[in-house]
Amino acid sequence: MASKNKEMAMIEHLEELRWVLIISIAATFIMAIACWVINDQVLQILLEPVFTSGNEVVYISILEALMTKIKVSFFLGFLTALPVILWQFWRFIIPALRKMEKIYFTIFVIISYIFFVSGVLFGFYAVFRVAVKYLLHFGGAELIPMLTIGNYISFAITFLLPFGFIFELPLGVYFLAKLDLLSCKSLVRKRKMALLLSVVTGAVLVPSPDIITPLMMAAPMYFLYELSVGIVRFVEWGKRRKAGKQKGWEWLNIALHGILSRRKKTG
């Protein structure tokens, strides 16, 4: 009977998860359709580094322009539907949480969305534009770039999305430190490894013949790692301060209890 109840509970959870995925995908589709209206404006922004460098973008197949616009729409649809996606997963997880955990998790969902969008915007305005302009001048005067819109937009999305995920690192580290699953000492010890992983990840995510472009992605990643070290140090300091206050109150209670007990004896 118990195993049957467990089976039923598991089926119910899987059914809920299925609806979470269906709603998340549907929200992305709906927002992608809605974002079709601003497709041209967003394309203009993404192509701005190419145009300001004095170059042009072409398409070499009949469907390439249409498929590229659909790709941009789904990219925008995912970004705009992300609050709905996070909300759905929040609804799936929240019944298992306590009251304070629900509050913390709600804050986590809101901040994680802000961090993700901030990461994408930072990746575009601080890194992507500079990288594109540098790479276009890399060929010199002898080589004329012939950029296809499909390849360029694929490169842009592949370049920008990792920044959104990377910007979640400090937030994740904060909650891991709160749960005592991460310490400042362990992060400091692994600094060299973090630097190496940042460079390797930058090279994998942004494959480029030059060394500058991967390093432009690796630098913010390592900076966020150092920021995470500072966050964990701050969390640990807060815990030590709280523990010190508790010890102080305990010492004061013991001292008062001792004084009162001596007064009773003398009385």
Side-chain angles (χ1 to χ4, degrees):
M1 187 70 181
S3 62
K4 193 174 181 180
N5 288 335
K6 282 182 181 178
E7 258 181 60
M8 290 295 292
M10 182 61 71
I11 290 168
E12 286 175 4
H13 287 316
L14 289 173
E15 182 67 21
E16 286 178 19
L17 184 59
R18 188 172 73 89
W19 276 107
V20 166
L21 294 172
I22 289 170
I23 293 170
S24 299
I25 293 168
T28 304
F29 267 90
I30 291 166
M31 293 311 298
I33 294 167
C35 288
W36 182 270
V37 180
I38 59 169
N39 212 324
D40 290 335
Q41 290 89 332
V42 174
L43 267 175
Q44 191 73 20
I45 294 169
L46 290 174
L47 291 168
E48 180 261 340
V50 178
F51 295 151
T52 53
S53 301
N55 295 288
E56 295 180 354
V57 181
V58 301
Y59 62 94
I60 56 176
S61 67
I62 294 173
L63 292 174
E64 188 175 2
L66 175 63
M67 295 306 295
T68 301
K69 288 192 174 186
I70 291 172
K71 194 182 294 183
V72 172
S73 291
F74 272 98
F75 174 61
L76 295 172
F78 170 74
L79 290 180
T80 50
L82 196 55
V84 178
I85 296 168
L86 292 172
W87 175 261
Q88 287 302 313
F89 280 97
W90 179 85
R91 284 185 63 195
F92 179 72
I93 295 168
I94 205 164
L97 301 178
R98 299 188 187 94
K99 187 177 179 180
M100 284 305 296
E101 289 174 339
K102 289 178 182 179
I103 295 169
Y104 286 136
F105 196 76
T106 304
I107 295 169
F108 173 79
V109 168
I110 295 167
I111 295 175
S112 63
Y113 177 69
I114 294 169
F115 273 38
F116 189 90
V117 175
S118 300
V120 172
L121 292 174
F122 173 84
F124 177 74
Y125 286 104
V127 184
F128 181 76
R129 294 199 303 177
V130 179
V132 169
K133 288 177 182 179
Y134 171 77
L135 290 172
L136 287 174
H137 286 95
F138 191 72
E142 299 82 9
L143 302 175
I144 299 172
M146 190 175 73
L147 305 173
T148 62
I149 187 66
N151 288 336
Y152 178 81
I153 293 300
S154 295
F155 172 74
I157 293 172
T158 307
F159 191 98
L160 295 175
L161 275 179
F163 276 94
F165 293 109
I166 290 164
F167 265 60
E168 302 290 338
L169 179 64
L171 190 60
V173 163
Y174 173 79
F175 280 95
L176 288 174
K178 276 284 189 183
L179 296 170
D180 292 324
L181 297 174
L182 205 60
S183 67
C184 184
K185 286 183 180 178
S186 66
L187 288 177
V188 170
R189 280 200 304 268
K190 293 173 183 174
R191 266 180 172 147
K192 291 180 181 178
M193 182 64 72
L195 181 59
L196 177 63
L197 285 174
S198 297
V199 175
V200 171
T201 306
V204 171
L205 292 176
V206 190
S208 176
D210 67 294
I211 190 64
I212 303 297
T213 308
L215 286 178
M216 289 179 74
M217 173 166 266
M221 288 172 64
Y222 185 72
F223 171 76
L224 287 170
Y225 184 85
E226 290 295 334
L227 179 63
S228 300
V229 173
I231 289 169
V232 175
R233 187 177 283 120
F234 176 76
V235 171
E236 289 180 350
W237 173 79
K239 286 181 179 179
R240 285 196 301 270
R241 189 180 176 190
K242 190 177 179 181
K245 282 184 178 179
Q246 287 177 347
K247 285 180 181 178
W249 280 109
E250 286 174 8
W251 180 86
L252 185 60
N253 286 330
I254 291 167
L256 288 171
H257 182 72
I259 293 166
L260 290 172
S261 60
R262 283 198 296 273
R263 284 190 67 184
K264 283 179 183 177
K265 284 179 182 177
T266 54

